[in-house]
Each structure stands twice: as C-alpha cells, then as structure tokens.
Amino acid sequence: MILNQLTIHEAHQLLKTKHLSSVELTRACLERIQQVEPKVRALVTITDELALKQAQKADELIATGDFGPLTGIPMVIKDNMCTRGIPTTCSSKMLENFVPPYNATVVEKLNDSEAVILGKANMDEFAMGSSNEHSAFFPTHNPWDLSRVPGGSSGGPAAAVAAGEAIYALGSDTGGSIRLPAGFCSVTGLKPTYGRVSRYGLVAFASSLDQIGPLTQDVTDCALVLNTIAGYDTRDSTSVPYPTPDYTRCLTTDLNGLNIGVPREYFVEGMQGEVETAMRAAINKLEELGARIEWEVSLPHTPYALAAYYIIAPSEASANLARYDGVKYGFSYQDADSMWEALAKTRQYGFGDEVKRRIMLGTYALSAGYYDAWYLKAQRVRTLIRQEFDQAFTKFDALVTPTSPTVPFRIGEKMDDPLQMYLSDVCVLPINIAGLPAISIPAGFADGLPIGIQIIGKPFSEETILKITHAYQQSTDWHKRKAEI
Ligand code: GLN
C-alpha cells in the first residue's frame, strides 16, 4: 500500500479502523514532496510543521471516534485562497510577502473539519493562464511528462495530486482553471455552479466567473470535498442560499433514464484524433451504463464564448486589480519622486506581462466610448450563451464534451502566442460564462499523455454530473493509473 496514493475515502476507512494515523499519512505525503518536488515544482509554500501539528490534533480527534471524512487527510490549497498566517502569493511578485490576517471561508471549513494543510500550490499569476507558465516564481511540470505543462491556472494543485504529493487539492476556476489541469494531469476536477461555494477570501480575478472547487483522485472524493466546502455564506453576496445535499448519496452506478447530449461545436477544428477517439469510447461507455445519448445537439453560439470571455474576464480583472497600488498592501515601489511614479513603478515591477495584458485589455473595453461596443456586446453574447444552455437542458440532463482539444503541450510551446494559449480553454470556458457546474475526469491516454472528458450539468445539478462520472469510474480504471516520476 502506497500511503500517499490513497484516496480520501480509503484513507478515512484506515483511520477509522486504526490501521493508519494522520501523522503517518502526513509524513508519507511530506516525504513524497521532498522526493518529487525538485522535478514537479507544484508548491509555492510547504507548511510541514503546521501539517504535522494539525495531523497530531486530528489523531486526537480520531481517537474519540467522532470525526469527519476529511479529518486528518493531507491536502494543498491553490495560492489564491487566503490562509491566516500563511503566505498567499497568487504566484505574483505583487503579493510575494502578503500574509493574510484572515482565512477564506473554504479554509475555515477545512479547518473546522480538521483537515491537514501541506502547503500552498503554484498557479498562473492571479489565475491568468492555462499552463502555469505565468507564475512569477517558476513553472510547474506535468507529472506524466516533465517537459510538458500541467495546465492552468490550477496547475500546481492538479500536479500535486497527480504526483501523489497530496491526497487532494482545492483549485479555482474562472474559465476552466480546475478542469483543464484536471484533464492534463489525469485527475478529477469539479467546477461547482456559480454561487454554490463561497468566494470569500479567494483573491478576485473575474468575480462573476470565479468559483472554488475540488481536485481529487476520484469522484467519490470530489463529492466528499464538495460536501465540506459548499453552502451559503453571508460574506459572499453572490453565494446562493440553497440547502446543500449530501453529494455522496447520488453516487450510484445506474444511468438509466438519463439523457445526455453531445454538442457538435465542441468537436473543434484542430482537435487531436486520439482525443476524439477517447471521447467516443467514453460516450459509448455511458450508453452501456444506461444513459440515452443524443449525438446531434447544437449550441451555435459556442464559438463566440472565447471572445466574450476575453472581454468580460479582463474587464473585471482590471477593476479588481486596481487595489494593488503600492499603498494598501502588497509590493510597494519605494524609490519614487512622486505618488504617480510610485504607483506606476509598483505596477510595472509587481505584475507580470500576462497580468498587464489583461489589465490593458480590460480598461480599454470598459473605457468611455468603447464600453458599448465591447463590454456591453460581450454581456449580450453571454446572455445568448446562457439561454442556449437553458434550452438544451430542457431536453438533456447533462452534456458531454472533451476537456481540451489536445493533450498537454510542451513547456514554452505557446508562451509567445497568447491567442494559441487562450484557445486551450475553448471547451471549458463557455461553462463559466453560463455559470454552470462541470466536471473533468480521466478518460484515456495518447502516448502516455492524459485525455480528459467534461460533463456539464444544469445549474445546481452537481449530483447529476457526479452520478454520471462516478458510474463511469466504476467501470473504467483510467483514474487509477498513476504517473511515474
Ligand atoms: N485560462 C483562462 C484565463 O487565462 C482561465 C483561467 C482561470 O480559470 N482562472 O483566463
């Protein structure tokens, strides 16, 4: 038994039957981190002392017999979620020395469950990117092939799970940042419905799109983490006051009576042959499991989602990032002769190129005279895309698409061409535009490189997409394969 490769539910069982302690499990993960981190580089901060203290405390609770599914299980958090007393850098020079005085709601919830925090995971700076190469510190490497990217922007969290450094992770998804890395690293990644999980304490990128979600080794674990982090929060004004079901209750293996559509626009030009083959095989499997598949579904506005996203997300980012002015908190340029120079230099040195690009795009799209032509138009497209999904969901319980048109690309391959980089998200980003829940699960390999499929659900139907993907994982073993490093 390789301890650091246990799932949450397996580890929980062993903790319960006293075959394992949280300290042992935590040590196994910390050893693995020591061993592979020089190659993978998934973590920005390692909190080993804290983790062992939390593990000891968890073991005391476990001894009482009264503990939850996440108690004592070691995990990592994407470095854009505020952790009290632990640096939260957003992989940016701007926040390199920022130590938050408070916890994000999701972190509070993990603490309440006596989870063990191993560290903070690398990401594209301020979550802007699809490859982790936009981290201001270092790029993370894909555990399946160290010369390739892990996807982004939650590349650190996904790589940490795929490399066996952590049992699970939390990521954030604004335009695919949980699902693309999940697909590229062969792990399970869920973006919940907008409003399902509190964004309080998540460093804002594009507030109308951002959502926090789990990256895990299987769907059962995903349901367990969602059980803990979901729910209404008065500190997030877009949090939705719906009751949270027990997401493990829907995990059956019978898909009879479910209608699943395959939207044709997601078979995009340039899609790799192996990805299409894996997709078709996965869909046939779902059919075998009892689902009714409809191949000829059309969502004609899909091709406009990317353009709308790259107006809306940068616009919101330009407003959100205005707070980094060298005065309130974060990096501050000290050698200036005037306030204006201090402000300009703070931003010049504090932000990386991609972040600057987004701020410029956003301020342009929001400026007087251009607002109607760009921002307002993009919002109209957003409405059309959402309506189109609503319409599709009158007929279907879920939609299935590839997670990415290609397998993970090489480090450096797309860095000089932002548009090519943006195109990596064509299949995942329309879902944020519409605020829907979607999950990516492992569905095959091409020459040893992971392929993911994405299942999209109606708003607040996480149970349906978890059920479908759980059934799939019960009769396939892609998710059980482990990367050799
Ligand atoms: N890759 C997309 C972007 O760069 C999505 C990022 C995200 O979901 N945080 O904006």
Side-chain angles (χ1 to χ4, degrees), residues 78 127-130 152-153 172-177 205 309-310 358 425:
K78 185 178 182 179
M128 298 171 189
S130 312
S153 61
S172 70
D173 191 314
T174 303
S177 276
F205 164 10
Y309 174 88
Y310 276 99
R358 304 285 177 111
D425 296 313

Side-chain angles (χ1 to χ4, degrees), residues 60-215:
E60 283 164 26
L61 186 68
I62 292 165
T64 69
D66 183 19
F67 66 104
L70 301 189
T71 305
I73 315 278
M75 56 85 62
V76 296
I77 302 173
K78 185 178 182 179
D79 211 16
N80 59 351
M81 292 170 225
C82 285
T83 39
R84 185 171 48 231
I86 304 170
T88 298
T89 69
C90 271
S91 291
S92 177
K93 290 215 173 80
M94 192 60 95
L95 292 177
E96 198 167 1
N97 299 311
F98 174 56
V99 180
Y102 70 105
N103 279 327
T105 294
V106 290
V107 175
E108 282 290 301
K109 286 178 181 250
L110 289 175
N111 283 344
D112 290 347
S113 319
E114 305 290 342
V116 172
I117 299 172
L118 295 164
K120 304 292 294 286
N122 198 19
M123 53 187 280
D124 287 291
E125 184 177 4
F126 283 101
M128 298 171 189
S130 312
S131 67
N132 254 54
E133 291 163 290
H134 291 306
S135 164
F137 307 139
F138 45 80
T140 296
H141 298 251
N142 191 314
W144 294 91
D145 176 345
L146 296 168
S147 70
R148 291 179 188 259
V149 304
S153 61
S154 311
V161 175
E165 295 177 70
I167 306 296
Y168 72 100
L170 286 190
S172 70
D173 191 314
T174 303
S177 276
I178 289 175
R179 291 158 290 148
L180 185 72
F184 277 9
C185 292
S186 202
V187 299
T188 297
L190 170 76
K191 182 201 93 74
T193 310
Y194 185 77
R196 180 80 283 188
V197 176
S198 170
R199 290 181 297 112
Y200 178 76
L202 169 69
V203 178
F205 164 10
S207 309
S208 77
L209 303 160
D210 301 339
Q211 252 318 264
I212 293 172
L215 286 140

Side-chain angles (χ1 to χ4, degrees), residues 198-326:
S198 170
R199 290 181 297 112
Y200 178 76
L202 169 69
V203 178
F205 164 10
S207 309
S208 77
L209 303 160
D210 301 339
Q211 252 318 264
I212 293 172
L215 286 140
T216 58
Q217 297 174 68
D218 68 13
V219 173
T220 306
D221 280 6
C222 199
L224 289 169
V225 179
L226 189 61
N227 274 352
T228 302
I229 62 171
Y232 180 55
D233 181 9
T234 49
R235 291 179 297 184
D236 170 2
S237 59
T238 57
S239 160
V240 177
Y242 288 171
T244 313
D246 175 355
Y247 290 104
T248 58
R249 297 260 297 274
C250 60
L251 302 181
T252 58
T253 51
D254 175 12
L255 300 186
N256 275 311
L258 282 179
N259 289 316
I260 301 179
V262 188
R264 83 165 77 96
E265 288 78 8
Y266 285 76
F267 288 82
V268 294
E269 212 186 295
M271 184 166 166
Q272 217 173 303
E274 292 99 323
V275 175
E276 183 162 350
T277 311
M279 257 295 281
R280 292 185 185 275
I283 293 168
N284 289 339
K285 179 57 84 184
L286 296 176
E287 197 163 30
E288 249 173 58
L289 291 166
R292 209 185 62 78
I293 305 290
E294 169 72 53
W295 284 91
E296 276 312 303
V297 181
S298 178
L299 298 170
H301 288 95
T302 305
Y304 303 105
L306 189 86
Y309 174 88
Y310 276 99
I311 297 294
I312 295 167
S315 295
E316 294 186 21
S318 74
N320 276 326
L321 271 58
R323 69 191 69 173
Y324 305 105
D325 54 8

